[in-house]
Each structure stands twice: as C-alpha cells, then as structure tokens.
C-alpha cells in the first residue's frame, strides 16, 4: 500500500440515534415489533403513503412533452419558489409584495437549514444560535458545522409535560445581542408541544424589543393540524409584525416525498435592494455546495399547488393524515387508562403533530425496546404514526410494564 494507511487515524463515528434505530428495527425478527422511531408517516397498515395528488402530478409530468431534464437555475424552479413562498408566508404577505423576500429551492428542510446556517454565519456572524431544549438533534450539528456556536433555551417542562414559556423567555432574554433564535413553526420536534396563538404573540412581543434574529424551521405545515394556514400562524404573525427572519420549509412530510428532497429557504429582508444583494450571495453558497437543486420534486409540488383540483385533493388527504394521528393519540390514552397505567397521560392528546414526548425515562425506554420490541428514542420520543389499530393495545401494555417495573 503506497504511503501507508492515510486514513488510519479516522475514528468510528457513533451511529445516528434515529437512523440507527431504524436499522435495529429492520433487523429484529420479532413478529410483534413496532417502529415508533421513524420520522416518516405510516398508514394504519404500517405502510408508506404516496399521496394521490403526487401520483397524478407525476403522471402529468411524465406525459408532458415540454418537460426536460435540463439544469435548474441556482435558486431553483421559479414556479415552485413562488408557490412554496405563498403557501408558507401567505399569498397576501406584505414582504412578498414589497419584493424583499429571497427564496431558494433547497434539498428539503435539512438542506434549507444548512444553506440558511451558512448565510447566518456569513451575514450576521452571531455569537450563538439558540435552539430549544430539547430540539431536533440535527439543528445542533447543522449550525455547529456552519461555524455558529449553539446554545439552548428551556422549552419542555417536565412537571407539566408542556411548554416552559417562562423559562424559554428568561433564557432568550439572556442571549447576547445579535444571537439567532431558532423556533419550530409548528409540531415541535421532539415534544409535540406548541405555543398557543396567544403565547406566540407574547413571544413576538418579547423578541421585538431585543437585538435578535428569528429563524423558523417549518417541517410540518399542514401535517400538524391538517390546516395549512393554522400551521403557518407563527411565521405570518412575525412577518406582519415587521421581523426580518429566516424560514426553512420542507415538503418531505406534507407531500410524502421524503426521498425527493424538496424544500425551500426564505429570507425576509428590510427592503428590495437588500434582498437583491442577499440573493446574489446565497447563490455563491449554493453554487459551491450542490450547484443547483434537483428538478423532479419541484415539478411535482408546483403541479399540485398550481392546479385547484390537485391542491384540493392534497389538502383533503393531509386532513385525513392529521386526523389518523390524532385518533391514535386518543386510542393510546384510552388503552392506557383502561389498563390503569400510573400517571396522567393527557399530554399525549394535548400534544400535536407526528411526535409525542411521553415522559418515559431512559430505563423505561430501554425496556420498551429490549423486551417489547417497541422501537423509540431513549429520550422518550415516539412517532405516533408508528401506532395503528392493530398494535395500539400492545404498545399500551408495553408502556404499562415499563412504567410499573422500571
């Protein structure tokens, strides 16, 4: 071997806690196994869902002689960008009308956050990006890899299994001037705990008086409540109030196109002239990263959002998806109550979106996994989409044993 082992000093990285859990589930031969770790929607039969509107949009694209496989511009497909921006910011967004929103098609929400974090570092060079405790684990990695120090603010209140608004505002209030505050727009991951509209108003009031920059991460619009507009409430509120901000948007969950990696980054600036300069610089970041985004997912989403019948079909299916998740929350609590499992489990139904922060301890989670083959994160987070009418009673029994004996 010429030059010896050039990479001999490379250390083995720990497995990703979520993706590693998926591998363990797949390799488990137990017929009773339940996957509550996956961050992707599953039907009541435990299968991935392809939306009818996605099928139809793809059929039309395939039959369209005008569609080609040429490169997209650096900022992505302009029709998709416009429709995605209107979907999340609102068609009547004043910032859009004033030409001060920069929009890029990105590699889903993760890619949006990565380009957004690089922009944060280059344009603001903040002393820190503050993320909720807990948060989606990749937030820490993405901002850290971009050279932005990461700190946290309180969010989850163990005693109530709800939002610690007082602690959240206290910690944000101590953030140095110029810091970036990362907020989950809806369906907070991993807790499933969202501020109420009144609490969002309070948060906006608090931030308006401080030299801080807001960064919204929206991975679940329409997937949380089944209502596109309700799930965008916080973002639209802040923009109406005059905030300049970042918004990362994902279409992975709400169109079921996880593998197409389709998302967007929106940067709301002070004026159109600033937006033009920001646009030019973000193009430089993208060009050096992946040059331009993939085409297919953008074409699909654009077809759905631009066709009234397809859009209505998509929105109706989104409501069905959201309702199934809510129904499983109710069924799980009913099963836990019927079994007399110790504790108050009402937080399972008051939480929202794909995930529930159960409050189970690490030891209890390990029992769920090792004895009952119910795969979940060891911080107590479960994906409600992994629960269905066939396994909800079994999951409740697993929780009962874990709580009572560990």
């Amino acid at each position: 071997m010429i030059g010896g082992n050039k990479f001999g000093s490379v250390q083995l990285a720990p497995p990703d806690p979520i993706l590693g859990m998926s591998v363990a589930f797949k390799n488990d031969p137990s017929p009773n196994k339940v996957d509550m770790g996956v961050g992707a929607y599953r039907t009541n039969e435990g299968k991935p869902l392809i939306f009818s509107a996605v099928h139809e949009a793809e059929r039309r694209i395939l039959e369209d002689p005008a569609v080609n496989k040429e490169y997209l511009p650096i900022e992505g497909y302009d029709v998709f960008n416009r429709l995605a921006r209107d979907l999340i910011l609102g068609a009547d967004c004043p910032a859009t009308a004033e030409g001060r929103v920069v929009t890029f098609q990105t590699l889903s929400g993760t890619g949006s956050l990565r380009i957004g974090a690089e922009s944060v570092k280059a344009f603001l060079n903040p002393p820190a990006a503050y993320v909720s405790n807990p948060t989606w684990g990749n937030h820490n990695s993405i901002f850290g890899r971009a050279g932005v120090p990461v700190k946290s603010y309180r969010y989850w209140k163990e005693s109530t299994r709800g939002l610690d608004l007082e602690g959240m505002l206290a910690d944000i209030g101590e953030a140095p001037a110029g810091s970036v505050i990362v907020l989950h727009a809806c369906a907070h991951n991993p807790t499933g705990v969202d501020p109420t509209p009144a609490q969002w108003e309070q948060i906006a009031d608090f931030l308006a008086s401080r030299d801080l920059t807001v960064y919204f991460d929206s991975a679940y619009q329409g997937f949380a409540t089944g209502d596109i507009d309700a799930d965008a409430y916080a973002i639209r509120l802040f923009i109406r109030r005059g905030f300049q901000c970042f918004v990362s948007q994902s279409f992975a969950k709400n169109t079921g196109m996880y593998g197409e990696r389709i998302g967007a980054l929106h940067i709301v600036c002070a004026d159109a002239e600033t937006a033009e300069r920001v646009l030019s610089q973000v193009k430089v970041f993208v060009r050096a990263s992946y040059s331009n985004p993939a085409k297919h997912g953008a074409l699909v989403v654009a077809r759905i959002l631009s066709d009234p019948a397809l859009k209505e079909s998509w929105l109706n299916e989104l409501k069905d998806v959201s309702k199934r998740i809510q129904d499983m929350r109710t069924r799980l609590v009913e099963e836990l109550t019927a079994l007399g499992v110790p504790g108050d489990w009402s937080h399972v139904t008051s939480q929202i979106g794909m995930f529930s922060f159960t409050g189970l301890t690490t030891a209890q989670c390990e029992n769920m996994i090792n004895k009952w083959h119910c795969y979940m994160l060891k911080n107590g987070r479960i994906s409600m989409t992994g629960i269905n009418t066939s396994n909800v009673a079994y999951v409740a029994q697993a929780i009962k044993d874990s709580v009572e004996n560990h």
Side-chain angles (χ1 to χ4, degrees), residues 61-62 65-72 292-297 299:
I61 291 167
L62 191 64
V67 172
N68 58 55
K69 299 295 185 181
E70 291 294 299
Y71 288 121
L72 288 175
N292 50 74
K295 199 170 195 176
H296 182 71
L299 293 177

Side-chain angles (χ1 to χ4, degrees), residues 193-212:
V193 174
D194 285 356
T196 65
Q199 288 172 329
W200 276 122
E201 293 272 4
Q202 188 176 347
I203 294 167
D205 287 341
F206 187 83
L207 287 168
S209 63
R210 286 164 173 79
D211 180 16
L212 302 168

Side-chain angles (χ1 to χ4, degrees), residues 88-89 101-102 112-126 143 178-183 185 212-218 235 238-239 243-249 264-269 278 282 285:
I88 198 161
L89 305 188
V101 181
V102 174
S112 174
L113 283 160
R114 185 62 182 84
I115 296 299
E118 189 168 346
S119 302
V120 163
K121 176 63 176 177
F123 303 155
L124 305 176
N125 193 25
F143 282 94
S179 295
V180 171
I181 310 300
V182 180
L183 300 171
L212 302 168
T213 301
V214 174
Y215 196 129
F216 279 106
D217 184 10
S218 178
I235 294 170
F238 275 67
I239 294 175
F243 283 83
Q244 300 166 62
C245 60
F246 291 79
V247 179
S248 281
Q249 178 184 21
L265 171 67
H266 311 279
I267 307 175
V268 182
C269 304
V278 168
V282 178
F285 305 153

Side-chain angles (χ1 to χ4, degrees), residues 52-70:
S52 298
V54 171
H55 268 306
E56 177 59 21
E58 289 184 315
R59 184 191 67 78
R60 295 182 189 181
I61 291 167
L62 191 64
E63 296 176 355
D64 187 346
V67 172
N68 58 55
K69 299 295 185 181
E70 291 294 299

